[in-house]
Amino acid sequence: MTKYVYDFSEGGKDMKDLLGGKGANLAEMTNLGLPVPPGFVITTEACRAFLTTGEVPDGLTAEIDQHLADLEQAMGKRLGDARDPLLVSVRSGGKFSMPGMMDTVLNIGLNDESVEGLTGQSGSDRFAWDSYRRLVQMFGKTVLGVDGEAFEHVFDEAKRAKGTTDDLQLDAADLRVIVQRFQAIVQEHTGEPFPQDPRKQLGRAVQAVFESWNTERAKLYRRQERIPGDLGTAVSVCSMVFGNLGMDSGTGVAFTRDPGSGAQGVYGDYLQNAQGEDVVAGIRNTLQLEQLEGLDKASYDELIATMATLETHYRDLCDIEFTIERGTLWMLQTRVGKRTAGAAFRIATQLVDEGLIDEDEALLRVTGAQLAQLMFPHFDSTDSATVLTRAMGASPGAAVGKVVFDSETAVAWAARGEAVVLVRRETNPDDLSGMIAAQGILTSRGGKTSHAAVVARGMGKTCVCGAEELEVDVQARTITAADGTVVGEGDVLSIDGTTGEVFLGEVAVTPSPVVQYFEGELAAGDGDDLVQAVHRLVVHADATRRLGVRTNADNPEDSQRARRYGAEGIGLCRTEHMFLGERRQLVEDLVLADDETEQEQALAAMLPLQREDFIGILRAMDGLPVTVRLLDPPLHEFLPDLLELQVEAAVAEATGRPVDAKRQALLVHVRRLHESNPMIGLRGVRLGLVVPGLFAVQVRALAEAAAELKAEGLDPRPEVMVPLVSAVQELEIVREEAERVLAEVAAQTGQPVDVLIGTMIEIPRAALTSGSIATSADFFSFGTNDLTQMGFGFSRDDVEVSFFSRYLELGVFGVSPFESIDESGIGRLVAISVEEGRAAKPGLKIGVCGEHGGDPASVHFFHQVGLDYVSCSPFRVPVARLEAGRAALGPEISDTR
């Protein structure tokens, strides 16, 4: 029979698949001899079985009963006993950290009788009734589905009646009344009294945690973080320890290093006379962790020692939750902590220097997505900016946007192109959609471990927390500062997630020091420790990777920038981009030419322009390969609009005005060439074969440019790429013509140039017939944008607007296939092409030049299938370099980072 329940002593940190991150780490701390309250874990297997059938799996109830009995024996108490009750917490915990997305219930076992026993046990009737109040509230909301606002209203009303905003000012009598009113709310909303049977409380709480795996907020978070939806959550059942027994008790969250910057030191929040979720919920502003030393030095010293033990054991930044119960320290959770991008790079190199990890492991501790975050701008100068307030920088970066006060508005305004900053008193998991839509988040409550801070750091969003000088009025849609300044919805704020400053209006931004480093404006040794950390890890990635990294560039400026960023050549030079703007007329003249003479005139006009273009690019990439894609213009982008011409002709006819003969002839041509779907029409190699001499002129211009540079003593390395090939015969015809032109130019200039001739693989048929196409190709380069369109059978320009968002919501796509390669479908075409191409021509050089070449997840796939290089936009070159190094080392060492 399947084992569904494990005691903490039976598990360990490597059992996250089964026990979830929380349960596995509680077990690990137990086995390390750290002070962990006894308990047990219900596995993810049990959750999956429950979610599949809707029923508790056979044997689970009996296993829970047995482990509960063992726990009662170990503690010398019985669950919910009227005189000396054992109380337990029920907490969710999946394999991957999902802070605040699933449910927790504390103080299971309290009822109308055992609350009196807890009073006698603790000597504090206020504590007992406060604990019962928390149970009814959490159980009512989480398990019974009562709107949490109903409880909050009663609680706030009680505080107002006492003339206070501090829940600590409510006494036992107040709390007893609140419990009664909470129980009445449960009765009113559910039609049943609050359950008094402790075992039924436990069973229903476990089921509620299982069900919380599929709440909308949890599913949204998983989509955002690309966490599989079929993993399920484990449930940790842990004997309660209490931080709300008085001012000598409390609860806190600690980090072994600053998760915002990576700096070493004491970081975290502590809240006296508080329980469980109070710190992360941001209900009261917290003390800084170092202040605990002055309140309880013995517990503080033990905590610091425990933090050092955990960081050494896990060899990483640890995020720790703890409770102090009347001077006794208890560890409630640890995990490898989430961190900002900058902190990730700093911590990885620090741990290398401390001898805890090697450089390979350090490289696996950072990601290309994090490096991309570090390359975004930050505020230029704030000297002249008006400071609205200063609070706690919870997630670094700079964000500018219009103020909105709820998630719905944030989503709606962002959808119409507005940059927004989400302002809340404190966020909760229901705000996730708004947090995703916003440029940044500002809260008036909470600290670095509040929900807003943790989620923002995980998403790379700028966040400022604990701006308690600001009065946030959600109903009035206003913020009122201490000096009386009022900011309304739609007004612009700028927030600095590093300093915690909030500015009125828009503040100018400037590139990050990481960008300055890649631009060559800042040497690694001249920058701060972040630049040095990035330099070390990118250099190590270069030494580790097998994949080459090229760039997509169509002009000398982009080519030079990409080379500064570390590009090893150009993988895609799109020649049609050279004919935008004023040059568009040349392509139009060529396509609409009435006879060979007009075509030759158009081609003659193109030759010198193309030659100069190629000279500039080849010069910028001297000594490196430059892959030039022959003209591939979708005709609708280069021809006059058919509808406009038709309307013009119809108006002229209706008004009796003479029709311009040239415009009339143009209408005839455009109507003849009009295509219902130009993306799969007369473009690429088809245009080159239909318009004689087109590709020959381009090859000639490239060869003449290379010959001129070679005569100067440079080392040009041009490559010709034929687009949209679907049959080997197309490539054979173009290759024969290109080789003739190359020979002519060599004879004319006395400068023979070695030019590789290859093709893009961007049509499914080409991928499936790569064996034959390889016989005429010196290289392949996958055009994954078109390959994805044609493989899925949809038009990117249309579907991303019409139904992609719905597909993402429904989970049809975990991520857009234009963002990350669809490994099982489009990736299969790539793998077939690589295998068959190299079988026909061993050593065939193969790369990718779609924007997938700069996507971190896709880079790993391209490494696995054996490509030689990836090519991407200049800005993404450092990201591809880093990820190519990580791909060479294998899978990530941590799933929780």
Side-chain angles (χ1 to χ4, degrees):
M1 180 178 290
T2 303
K3 179 178 172 64
Y4 286 126
V5 184
Y6 288 74
D7 186 85
F8 287 166
S9 61
E10 298 179 282
K13 65 182 177 66
D14 297 325
M15 297 176 67
K16 291 177 184 175
D17 285 341
L18 190 64
L19 305 183
K22 183 174 288 155
N25 288 323
L26 282 168
E28 189 74 12
M29 288 195 293
T30 298
N31 295 326
L32 285 173
L34 298 177
V36 176
F40 54 88
V41 187
I42 303 167
T43 66
T44 56
E45 285 186 352
C47 176
R48 290 193 294 270
F50 175 82
L51 294 177
T52 299
T53 65
E55 301 289 338
V56 174
D58 291 343
L60 176 59
T61 299
E63 281 195 70
I64 292 175
D65 287 341
Q66 181 59 57
H67 279 80
L68 179 60
D70 294 342
L71 180 60
E72 289 174 332
Q73 183 174 1
M75 299 296 292
K77 302 178 181 182
R78 293 187 60 212
L79 183 69
D81 183 76
R83 288 180 296 180
D84 188 12
L86 169 68
L87 306 183
V88 298
S89 63
V90 175
R91 298 174 182 266
S92 61
K95 175 182 179 181
F96 299 99
S97 177
M98 295 172 55
M101 296 301 113
M102 292 181 292
D103 290 332
T104 291
V105 183
L106 306 180
N107 306 327
I108 293 287
L110 279 175
N111 56 28
D112 293 346
E113 293 182 357
S114 61
V115 67
E116 302 295 349
L118 187 62
T119 297
Q121 178 193 95
S122 65
S124 171
D125 56 350
R126 186 199 182 281
F127 155 72
W129 285 98
D130 182 48
S131 298
Y132 196 15
R133 181 270 302 178
R134 293 169 185 269
L135 170 64
V136 179
Q137 184 172 0
M138 297 178 80
F139 196 95
K141 178 181 177 182
T142 299
V143 181
L144 303 178
V146 178
D147 185 353
E149 288 296 322
F151 297 117
E152 289 291 345
H153 176 73
V154 168
F155 199 57
D156 289 344
E157 189 177 82
K159 287 189 286 186
R160 281 195 299 271
K162 294 279 286 195
T164 183
T165 59
D166 186 356
D167 55 320
L168 295 181
Q169 299 304 311
L170 299 176
D171 59 26
D174 299 320
L175 292 166
R176 187 187 294 263
V177 172
I178 289 171
V179 168
Q180 293 169 352
R181 295 188 64 185
F182 279 5
Q183 290 178 328
I185 289 172
V186 169
Q187 178 78 49
E188 178 185 348
H189 283 77
T190 68
E192 299 178 0
F194 180 79
Q196 295 292 301
D197 183 337
R199 185 58 183 86
K200 287 184 178 179
Q201 290 177 4
L202 177 60
R204 295 187 68 174
V206 169
Q207 290 188 34
V209 172
F210 284 162
E211 290 167 347
S212 72
W213 176 258
N214 280 331
T215 62
E216 287 304 312
R217 72 190 187 214
K219 290 191 286 188
L220 176 60
Y221 186 88
R222 289 199 294 272
R223 284 196 296 269
Q224 173 76 11
E225 298 297 317
R226 303 185 190 179
I227 296 172
D230 58 355
L231 299 178
T233 180
V235 181
S236 296
V237 178
C238 189
S239 51
M240 285 295 304
V241 290
F242 300 98
N244 59 332
L245 273 167
M247 298 306 284
D248 61 349
S249 303
T251 188
V253 176
F255 299 94
T256 56
R257 301 177 194 235
D258 186 351
S261 69
Q264 295 169 282
V266 179
Y267 296 93
D269 298 317
Y270 182 68
L271 198 58
Q272 290 177 279
N273 200 14
Q275 189 177 41
E277 305 297 304
D278 291 352
V279 175
V280 295
I283 62 170
R284 282 186 275 142
N285 286 332
T286 57
L287 300 175
Q288 294 184 359
L289 186 60
E290 57 263 33
Q291 294 175 268
L292 174 61
E293 184 176 18
L295 299 171
D296 183 350
K297 187 171 184 346
S299 295
Y300 176 81
D301 289 344
E302 185 181 359
L303 175 63
I304 296 301
T306 300
M307 290 165 64
T309 297
L310 288 171
E311 182 171 273
T312 301
H313 182 70
Y314 282 86
R315 299 181 304 131
D316 208 344
L317 159 70
C318 289
D319 172 353
I320 297 162
E321 294 182 17
F322 66 94
T323 281
I324 296 173
E325 181 182 284
R326 290 180 172 167
T328 299
L329 176 69
W330 293 97
M331 306 303 295
L332 303 184
Q333 178 173 319
T334 191
R335 59 190 170 197
V336 172
K338 291 184 179 294
R339 67 211 65 189
T340 63
F345 277 84
R346 288 189 180 100
I347 291 170
T349 53
Q350 288 167 4
L351 294 174
V352 171
D353 294 339
E354 293 166 23
L356 289 175
I357 63 175
D358 60 21
E359 287 193 321
D360 284 352
E361 196 164 351
L363 183 55
L364 291 171
R365 296 278 181 94
V366 298
T367 67
Q370 290 170 329
L371 179 56
Q373 287 180 27
L374 295 176
M375 296 175 70
F376 288 114
H378 59 270
F379 289 137
D380 184 1
S381 172
T382 58
D383 292 344
S384 60
T386 301
V387 178
L388 183 67
T389 191
R390 289 179 176 86
M392 186 177 295
S395 185
V400 180
K402 294 182 177 180
V403 169
V404 295
F405 290 93
D406 58 66
S407 288
E408 292 76 11
T409 305
V411 170
W413 287 24
R416 70 189 192 204
E418 301 273 12
V420 299
V421 171
L422 178 63
V423 178
R424 304 284 286 162
R425 292 192 187 97
E426 69 270 342
T427 63
N428 61 61
D430 294 331
D431 288 317
L432 183 63
S433 60
M435 297 174 75
I436 292 171
Q439 300 296 308
I441 300 105
L442 170 64
T443 69
S444 60
R445 300 176 185 168
K448 282 190 175 181
T449 54
S450 65
H451 175 268
V454 172
V455 175
R457 279 197 298 272
M459 293 192 298
K461 295 278 186 181
T462 298
C463 180
V464 173
C465 285
E468 53 189 279
E469 292 183 353
L470 301 181
E471 181 184 334
V472 177
D473 189 330
V474 175
Q475 298 299 322
R477 321 297 275 184
T478 60
I479 305 168
T480 304
D483 64 0
T485 301
V486 177
V487 177
E489 190 160 65
D491 293 340
V492 174
L493 287 182
S494 300
I495 63 174
D496 189 324
T498 302
T499 67
E501 292 174 301
V502 180
F503 304 99
L504 289 172
E506 182 173 349
V507 178
V509 295
T510 193
S512 76
V514 173
V515 171
Q516 292 175 312
Y517 157 67
F518 285 121
E519 288 284 2
E521 300 168 2
L522 189 66
D526 297 335
D528 63 14
D529 55 352
L530 173 59
V531 172
Q532 294 170 24
V534 170
H535 168 77
R536 287 175 62 180
L537 293 177
V538 172
V539 167
H540 185 65
D542 287 339
T544 304
R545 62 185 165 91
R546 178 188 60 76
L547 278 173
V549 178
R550 299 191 190 182
T551 192
N552 301 341
D554 315 317
N555 56 64
E557 294 74 27
D558 281 350
S559 303
Q560 291 163 355
R561 177 177 298 108
R563 191 161 190 168
R564 292 193 297 271
Y565 284 19
E568 298 162 321
I570 291 178
L572 175 62
C573 175
R574 293 159 288 205
T575 55
E576 64 275 6
H577 285 191
M578 300 171 181
F579 293 95
L580 299 174
E582 295 179 357
R583 293 189 184 181
R584 182 186 300 270
Q585 189 64 43
L586 291 173
V587 176
E588 182 180 316
D589 291 346
L590 176 66
V591 174
L592 298 179
D594 286 321
D595 51 41
E596 289 186 10
T597 300
E598 289 186 2
Q599 282 186 344
E600 290 173 359
Q601 290 173 346
L603 291 171
M606 291 173 64
L607 178 61
L609 296 174
Q610 284 272 265
R611 184 169 55 239
E612 288 305 309
D613 291 333
F614 294 144
I615 286 173
I617 293 171
L618 289 169
R619 189 185 300 280
M621 284 288 173
D622 183 47
L624 298 175
V626 175
T627 304
V628 175
R629 182 175 73 184
L630 300 179
L631 204 64
D632 184 21
L635 291 186
H636 69 292
E637 295 181 6
F638 285 87
L639 296 180
D641 183 73
L642 175 61
L643 181 60
E644 184 179 314
L645 290 171
Q646 289 175 325
V647 170
E648 183 181 310
V651 169
E653 182 178 350
T655 58
R657 293 204 312 266
V659 178
D660 182 273
K662 184 176 181 180
R663 300 289 288 178
Q664 186 66 33
L666 187 60
L667 174 59
V668 172
H669 279 300
V670 172
R671 183 180 284 125
R672 174 176 57 84
L673 293 170
H674 177 69
E675 297 172 321
S676 297
N677 192 337
M679 296 305 293
I680 55 174
L682 182 61
R683 52 173 285 216
V685 68
R686 302 159 189 169
L687 184 65
L689 297 181
V690 168
V691 180
L694 171 58
F695 283 177
V697 163
Q698 289 195 285
V699 173
R700 182 177 298 279
L702 183 60
E704 290 177 355
E708 182 174 325
L709 294 177
K710 195 172 181 181
E712 295 179 14
L714 299 180
D715 181 21
R717 300 185 184 183
E719 301 176 351
V720 170
M721 184 159 65
V722 183
L724 219 70
V725 164
S726 59
V728 66
Q729 293 86 352
E730 295 170 317
L731 181 59
E732 289 171 344
I733 295 168
V734 175
R735 185 181 187 98
E736 181 179 352
E737 182 181 40
E739 289 176 339
R740 174 182 58 79
V741 172
L742 292 171
E744 289 176 2
V745 173
Q748 292 165 1
T749 63
Q751 296 286 349
V753 179
D754 292 328
V755 179
L756 299 180
I757 300 173
T759 183
M760 291 188 80
I761 302 295
E762 51 190 331
I763 294 178
R765 187 182 190 279
L768 296 172
T769 59
S770 290
S772 61
I773 292 175
T775 61
S776 289
D778 296 324
F779 66 87
F780 285 171
S781 183
F782 290 101
T784 50
N785 295 340
D786 272 336
L787 190 61
T788 298
Q789 289 195 99
M790 297 187 196
F792 272 97
F794 50 48
S795 166
R796 177 178 185 174
D797 291 339
D798 297 325
V799 299
E800 287 194 324
V801 174
S802 59
F803 67 80
F804 258 36
S805 60
R806 181 59 176 158
Y807 266 41
L808 290 167
E809 288 174 7
L810 293 172
V812 177
F813 297 145
V815 63
S816 165
F818 290 110
E819 181 181 339
S820 287
I821 191 77
D822 163 45
E823 294 185 17
S824 59
I826 307 306
R828 179 70 182 130
L829 291 174
V830 171
I832 290 170
S833 178
V834 171
E835 181 181 351
E836 296 191 0
R838 287 195 174 135
K841 181 174 285 188
L844 179 70
K845 184 170 66 173
I846 305 178
V848 59
C849 58
E851 269 304 295
H852 290 109
D855 169 63
S858 302
V859 169
H860 285 253
F861 172 77
F862 296 134
H863 171 87
Q864 291 164 10
V865 296
L867 268 58
D868 295 303
Y869 67 87
V870 296
S871 187
C872 55
S873 63
F875 190 79
R876 301 184 87 179
V877 165
V879 173
R881 290 166 60 193
L882 188 82
E883 285 296 346
R886 297 178 71 246
L889 294 173
E892 294 185 51
I893 58 167
S894 172
D895 298 317
T896 59
R897 209 160 278 109

